[in-house]
Amino acid sequence: MLNANTSFYNAFEAGDLDLMAAVWLPEPDPVCIHPGNAAIYGYSEMMRAWAMIFANTPYIQFFLTDVQVRVDEDVAYVTCTENVLSSGDGAPEEGFAGGKALATNVFRKTSTGWRLWIHHASPVLSSGGQQEEAE
């Protein structure tokens, strides 16, 4: 099941729509929620959204931490922190941006293996302030 989770992030990093399509469970309707965006329902709508993301993301890399797994018969989930490194417009040489999101990936077991059913990522917002030290 962790291989299916890894396949999701590999497809995302590669910007490969065919690989991404192979990760997802087409039925019943999958759901995908990217940080700060509305939910995308349904396989066709989701694949259109991934095509747009890939067309506008020249570089992205994920470093997963805090990975937790739960398997219950034919349904499983992975929670993790997505530590994201991405580039701006153009190429990685133009500069990198970092971010962090908490993600839940829900999988269903099929006759061909585990398939992603629900992806929900929420941004981790930093306070931006300094913590006061106790004297």
Side-chain angles (χ1 to χ4, degrees):
M1 200 279 309
L2 273 175
N3 288 338
N5 195 65
T6 299
S7 294
F8 168 66
Y9 289 102
N10 287 345
F12 202 156
E13 289 179 348
D16 188 314
L17 195 57
D18 291 333
L19 289 176
M20 185 60 76
V23 168
W24 284 89
L25 180 72
E27 296 292 332
D29 282 347
V31 179
C32 186
I33 304 172
H34 295 290
N37 290 290
I40 303 165
Y41 297 96
Y43 188 80
S44 296
E45 293 79 10
M46 188 181 325
M47 289 303 109
R48 279 194 287 276
W50 281 116
M52 293 298 296
I53 289 169
F54 293 160
N56 293 294
T57 307
Y59 178 85
I60 192 163
Q61 188 173 8
F62 293 89
F63 302 93
L64 303 182
T65 57
D66 309 313
V67 177
Q68 299 289 318
V69 178
R70 169 77 189 247
V71 179
D72 189 9
E73 295 182 22
D74 65 345
V75 176
Y77 67 79
V78 175
T79 58
C80 61
T81 301
E82 299 175 342
N83 300 279
V84 184
L85 183 63
S86 62
S87 70
D89 298 323
E93 292 79 20
E94 293 180 8
F96 291 96
K100 189 180 283 195
L102 299 178
T104 302
N105 297 319
V106 180
F107 297 86
R108 290 186 71 171
K109 192 173 189 178
T110 70
S111 60
T112 59
W114 291 99
R115 303 286 293 277
L116 186 56
W117 185 24
I118 301 166
H119 169 72
H120 183 180
S122 298
V124 175
L125 304 175
S126 65
S127 63
Q130 295 180 345
Q131 294 183 350
E132 294 181 10
E133 291 185 72
E135 293 185 359

